[in-house]
Structures are given as C-alpha cells and as structure tokens.
Amino acid sequence: NMLELFLRKYFKTPKGEKIAGVLLVIMTVVPLFLIVLMLCNLVISIQSRPVSHVFGMIFLIYLASTTIAFRELTDSARNVVNSLKESSIEAARCRLSMIVGRDTKHLEQKGILKATMETLAENMSDGIIAPVFYLTIGGLPVAMAYKAINTLDSMVGYRSDKYIKFGWAAAKLDDIANYIPARITGLLIVVVSFFVSRSLFTAHCSLKTMLRDGRNHLSPNSGIPEAAMAGALGVRFGGPSTYGGVLIDKPYIGEERHTSDIFYLDASEKAIK
C-alpha cells in the first residue's frame, strides 16, 4: 500500500525496516482508534436529537458488524467443500487460495480439506471470538483497533525476506492481541464438541489434543483452536506445506481416526456447521 511504499522509501536498512514497521502500526491503529472513539462520543452527545441519534447508532452497529466475519468465514469454507462434492478440484483449489496463505495449486482433495478445516479453526478466533471479546471489554474503538492490527498482520506479518523485518511489529502485536481470544476459542470448541456429539469422549479428545499439541505451530496462538478442532473431529493438521514456493515442514497437530477422503469430507462439513 501507499503507506508501506512511503515508509520503505526512508527506512532501507534492516533496523530501519523494523522502525518503519512500528511506524506503520502506530500510523494505522492509533488514528483509527481515535476516529472511532470520537464517532462514538459524537453519537452519545446527540441523544437530544432522536433522529440523528438513531442514525448514528445504526452506523455504529454497522461498524461493529464489520469486525465480525462469521458469514464470510463459513460461506468461503462451504464453497470449497461444495466444489469438491461436485468433483471440481480446480475450483476448490481456486476458492481455497482466497482464504489461506499456502500454495494450493498442487493440493489433492485431502490436503484441500485439511487446509479448509485449519483456516476455519484459526479464523474462528481471529474473525469471531477476538472481535466479540474486544467489543465486550473495550467497546467499538478497541474492536476496530484489533481489526486493524489483525489486518496489518495478514498484509505484512510474513516470515518472507521482504517482510521478516518490516512486518515484525504487526506480527508481534497480533500475537499479543490474540493470546486470550485463541485460548477462549479452544475451550469453546471443546465445550461445543460435547454438545454437538453428545459424547464425553469427543470432548476429552478435543481437550487432550489442545493441551498436547496446541504449541505445535509456528504461531503461539493458532495452534490452540486448531488442536482443539483436530481432536474433536479426529483429523490431523500440519505437516509439509508450501508458501510462495517455499516448503515449510510444520509440526503435526492431532491424530487421524481414519485416513479416507470421505472421512475428511465429513469432518469438514461438521467443522462448518
């Protein structure tokens, strides 16, 4: 984006790139927080004007809804699964590429389904639980600030040569912001797995896998909900994946109860529901 190009123009050394990354976070998150805070205060201050106040509240509710990505998340995952059910693996790869960072060009059905379930578990925290958490504890300004942090991480928080320094601040701040929500998400998956399956064994597997494999991930947070999901569904995540043509051998999370593609397809549909 324009701000990144502007900062890179003046900070070209490795140390300078880190400073530029910090400035990018400050120049994006702080103004957004202050603007939304002023909007909230403005809406509160016009309570004596009922019509303006109502329209202001509707606008704030709309802003709050933009922080939560429930429908987008489930619809995107469902589109991938539906493509596979229609035997259109190329369409499934294309749709998967829109919601994951890994290369999807050579993935077969099982790999596509694994990636879909992984991103469902991870984004359940980022896209649903975390925004609700910050809306609850800090209101709309804090929730919007969180969304900005999370978006910056998805834009520049990569371990590539280009972003390893520049995206450091965004990635670290995102890790901090998601620490509590990720663990809440993992526990919620454990609880929900019991009510959905009506089986203590399923909930036990989910909790056990979360505690055992939750740290088997490059991210300090993503592994928690992924492990809880893997244990609940009886699937295995992780393993070798390519990102931008670079093979990354990620630790495995969970254990397979069955290895067939049909089992993974059924597990994917359960995860979406």
Side-chain angles (χ1 to χ4, degrees), residues 36-82:
V36 176
L37 181 62
M38 286 189 292
L39 282 173
C40 291
N41 289 333
L42 177 62
V43 171
I44 293 171
S45 69
I46 58 174
Q47 288 184 12
S48 58
R49 303 174 184 176
V51 176
S52 299
H53 181 67
V54 168
F55 278 106
M57 289 299 297
I58 291 172
F59 180 65
L60 293 182
I61 291 170
Y62 166 74
L63 287 181
S65 71
T66 64
T67 67
I68 302 171
F70 176 76
R71 184 175 295 277
E72 295 88 343
L73 176 61
T74 55
D75 285 351
S76 298
R78 189 175 288 109
N79 288 336
V80 175
V81 173
N82 287 341

Side-chain angles (χ1 to χ4, degrees), residues 29 37 57 65 69 92 101 114 117 139 144 146 148 155 198 201 204 218 231:
V29 176
L37 181 62
M57 289 299 297
S65 71
K114 284 176 62 176
M117 287 185 281
M144 291 295 290
Y146 164 78
M155 292 173 63
R198 296 182 182 180
F201 174 75
H204 169 74
L218 296 175

